[in-house]
């Protein structure tokens, strides 16, 4: 479902100034309701005016006038009597992300933009902030695997390469950790080669189980649900979910191992099936834990909980899934 | 960054009716501007009224009156003279997602809700639709790995299990495909056990490279960018990015293989390093292709391009990465 109306120029602005429109309805606060109505009548931009704004003697923003209140007031009243004084405003050099955070929950149709001297330099429409927020959230699934939030479909090859490649090198480094664990068990694998085929199965299952927990945790952080939901309860739930999912997918994987091993006339087939079942339960349970802990740990250390979270997660799930399988095989079968 | 103001009752509504507020300013179209101003003056809900709406003789919604236009008109004018006739409206039983699609790009502060008889039954604030859209987009990274878009952090254990488990069984089925490919090369692995440690490295690298392409493609679909950007160009770019990323991470992986094999006094060390390098280039290039093709293929078959896309992708990347490595090892080294 495309977000209609997203145009190239609204995509990924740096600051409030980039999203700003010119001020249209600015009046001195001592002007009367009659003056304001005459101003609106004469204005070519009347269609664009949602609120009028007032300035004090030093030309600083002092209030906001709702058009409805003009209608319900006497023509001789001063705007200072009917205005909302000291309205909420945004600074032009504020980061767009920060502006969203500060403004979006107020649900105003328009926000005034005010410089350091208190002078109004523009307005931002509320929908622009909402649209910007939606654009930022669409970046999350990419950020999880090391795509920069600036990257869009039309980003040039070279820029995309420069932004993605470092995280792929990080991913390689973490994959070496998983590879190193496997290499420790070369003796086991050379004796039970069937285990090699189950390496990607264990890694794939624990990885996907962990990614489910990671996604739901990140969603909770983004939507602010985690502030209301105790982390301990979330960890408990994901551990249990991991165990249950590992148990029921593990039964199928264990059956596949039994069948494979029996097919190769391996007398240890039942024991190998048990190894797979236990490794699936253990690997998926740990993956549930990692899925919650990776973003929370990143956040605790002041990092973005989304960026590269999937890369860090799969290191853990690879080691948990494959490491457990090979350890159990070494201990129980050899 | 939490989306403030998201409350439990606004989360995941089914229809427009769930997001609706009561109608506050409804007047007959033959009423005058003077009548409307008196109505506003007497109304307790004046603060909530953004627009007034007019009804015809059959009580059907016929127009929308902007408060500013009341101010600029003569008191004796009929509302029918100043209203915007036949305003855009939403149906109460419309799916919330469809309503977002239909309304969000109009950027109105409020939308009227009109039943099948043409009677107005409520209003929806524009920010509620934007908020709903943001909530839906936060579900995407979960949907990619088989988490239902309804699932939030406080979803019960049993409901989460029931919704996630089927996709983990699908993932297992696809992992068996990768495992089967590996099992075809048991002979190769038993002769060069060092290859086993590189299975998770190849799978991890091609998987993450593919997920980067997948995420950027899904972002393009969500933001509507793909409508303006030719698919062929995107495929070309992701193939090239995959090749470049595979080439430069592959060099490091190949060096690691050389070192490992030389350490084990394997005379084939340089050839094994070449195998890893070529497999990384080939695997990552194919992964770039899969990342674009998986969501586009899902969409072409009428399925949601997001749901389980990562599960389908990793099947392809596992087979490409590990399959290529084992094939090359068999052909070039044995």
């Amino acid at each position: 479902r495309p977000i209609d109306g997203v145009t190239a120029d609204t995509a990924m602005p740096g600051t409030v100034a980039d999203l700003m429109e010119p001020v249209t309805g600015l009046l001195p606060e001592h002007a009367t309701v009659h003056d304001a109505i005459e101003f609106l009548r004469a204005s070519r931009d009347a269609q664009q005016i949602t609120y009028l704004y007032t300035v004090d003697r030093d030309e600083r923003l002092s209030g906001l006038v709702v058009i409805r209140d003009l209608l319900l007031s006497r023509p001789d009243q001063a705007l200072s009597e009917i205005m909302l004084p000291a309205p909420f405003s945004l600074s032009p050099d504020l980061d767009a992300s920060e502006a969203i955070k500060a403004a979006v929950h107020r649900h105003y149709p328009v926000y005034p933009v005010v410089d350091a001297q208190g002078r109004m330099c523009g307005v931002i429409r509320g929908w622009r902030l909402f649209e910007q927020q939606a654009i930022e959230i669409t970046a999350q699934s990419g950020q999880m695997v090391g795509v920069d939030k600036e990257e869009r479909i039309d980003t040039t090859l070279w820029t995309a390469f420069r932004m993605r490649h470092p995280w792929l090198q990080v991913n390689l480094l973490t994959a070496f950790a998983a590879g190193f664990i496997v290499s420790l068990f070369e003796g086991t694998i050379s004796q039970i080669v069937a285990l090699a085929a189950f390496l990607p199965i264990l890694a794939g299952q624990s990885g996907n189980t962990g990614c489910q927990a990671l996604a739901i945790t990140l969603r909770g952080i983004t939507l602010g649900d985690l502030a209301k939901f105790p982390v301990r309860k979330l960890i408990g739930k994901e551990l249990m979910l991991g165990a249950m999912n590992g148990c029921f997918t593990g039964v199928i994987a264990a059956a596949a191992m039994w069948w494979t091993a029996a097919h190769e006339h391996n007398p240890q087939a039942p024991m190998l099936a048990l190894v797979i079942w236990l490794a699936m339960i253990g690997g998926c349970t740990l993956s549930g834990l990692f899925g919650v802990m990776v973003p929370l740990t990143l956040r605790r250390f002041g990092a973005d909980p989304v960026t590269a979270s999937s890369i860090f997660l799969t290191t853990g799930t690879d080691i948990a899934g494959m490491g457990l399988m090979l350890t159990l095989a070494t201990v129980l079968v050899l």
Side-chain angles (χ1 to χ4, degrees), chain A:
Chain A
R1 168 178 334 107
I3 301 177
D4 295 299
V6 172
T7 46
D9 62 306
T10 64
M12 285 303 150
T15 63
V16 163
D18 298 328
L19 293 170
M20 202 165 69
E21 295 172 25
V23 192
T24 39
L26 205 57
L27 290 160
E29 61 184 27
H30 58 72
T32 63
V33 168
H34 174 81
D35 295 337
I37 294 173
E38 286 310 306
F39 170 85
L40 276 178
R41 206 180 292 279
S43 170
R44 286 184 184 185
D45 307 310
Q47 295 295 327
Q48 306 304 322
I49 295 177
T50 306
Y51 299 130
L52 291 175
Y53 297 94
T54 61
V55 289
D56 63 17
R57 283 168 202 208
D58 301 322
E59 300 286 320
R60 288 185 305 231
L61 176 70
S62 62
L64 175 159
V65 177
V66 181
I67 306 291
R68 188 183 49 233
D69 292 337
L70 289 179
L71 202 64
L72 305 181
S73 304
R74 293 190 321 275
D76 62 330
Q77 278 185 289
L79 295 183
S80 58
E81 293 175 54
I82 66 162
M83 73 189 189
L84 300 167
F88 171 79
S89 66
L90 294 167
S91 157
D93 48 4
L94 191 66
D95 192 66
S97 317
E98 293 302 308
I100 292 166
K101 210 163 149 182
V104 137
H105 71 281
R106 297 175 189 262
H107 308 134
Y108 300 160
V110 181
Y111 299 89
V113 181
V114 170
D115 68 16
Q117 284 72 49
R119 297 204 177 86
M120 198 168 160
C121 42
V123 293
I124 283 196
R125 309 222 161 246
W127 66 261
R128 279 206 188 269
L129 293 178
F130 270 113
E131 182 182 88
Q132 200 48 44
Q133 184 186 45
I135 293 172
E136 293 209 354
I137 301 174
T138 60
Q140 283 197 354
S141 47
Q143 287 176 278
M144 289 167 72
V145 290
V147 174
D148 195 279
K149 76 171 183 174
E150 305 280 329
E151 187 177 336
R152 296 278 285 268
I153 218 163
D154 57 354
T155 300
T156 62
L157 176 72
W158 178 243
T159 307
F161 175 74
R162 213 161 27 83
M163 296 195 295
R164 291 190 204 175
H165 192 73
W167 284 115
L168 288 172
Q169 291 285 5
V170 171
N171 191 56
L172 184 66
L173 212 71
T174 68
F176 279 157
F180 175 71
I181 298 295
V182 174
S183 76
L184 295 178
F185 294 93
E186 281 190 2
T188 306
I189 295 169
S190 66
Q191 287 178 263
I192 318 162
V193 186
L195 287 173
F198 282 81
L199 288 175
I201 295 174
L202 263 287
Q205 281 303 113
S206 55
N208 202 83
T209 306
C211 275
Q212 290 186 338
L214 172 66
I216 218 69
T217 304
L218 286 176
R219 191 178 200 203
I221 291 173
T222 306
L223 294 177
D225 294 344
L226 205 65
K228 295 166 263 168
F229 198 81
V231 171
R232 189 177 297 185
K233 210 171 147 188
L234 179 63
I235 291 174
K237 189 175 84 171
E238 291 298 340
L239 278 172
M240 194 65 203
L241 270 171
M244 287 163 68
N245 282 319
C247 179
F248 291 103
T249 52
V251 165
I252 313 285
M257 175 49 112
W258 196 321
W259 185 84
T260 307
H263 201 71
E264 291 172 354
H265 308 293
N266 187 327
Q268 299 269 39
M271 204 47 148
L272 281 169
L274 180 67
V275 162
I276 295 296
W277 189 57
L278 293 176
M280 285 280 278
I281 295 175
C284 291
T285 306
L286 286 172
S287 298
L289 175 68
F290 296 157
V292 179
M293 292 314 294
V294 163
L296 294 183
T297 306
L298 286 170
R299 194 171 65 161
R300 167 150 304 185
F301 284 103
D304 176 9
V306 181
T307 300
S309 53
S310 177
I311 291 175
F312 299 127
L313 173 78
T314 48
T315 316
T317 59
D318 275 2
I319 292 172
M322 299 189 295
L324 208 56
M325 179 186 88
L326 293 168
T327 305
L328 287 170
T330 308
V331 173
L332 297 179
V333 180
L334 288 191

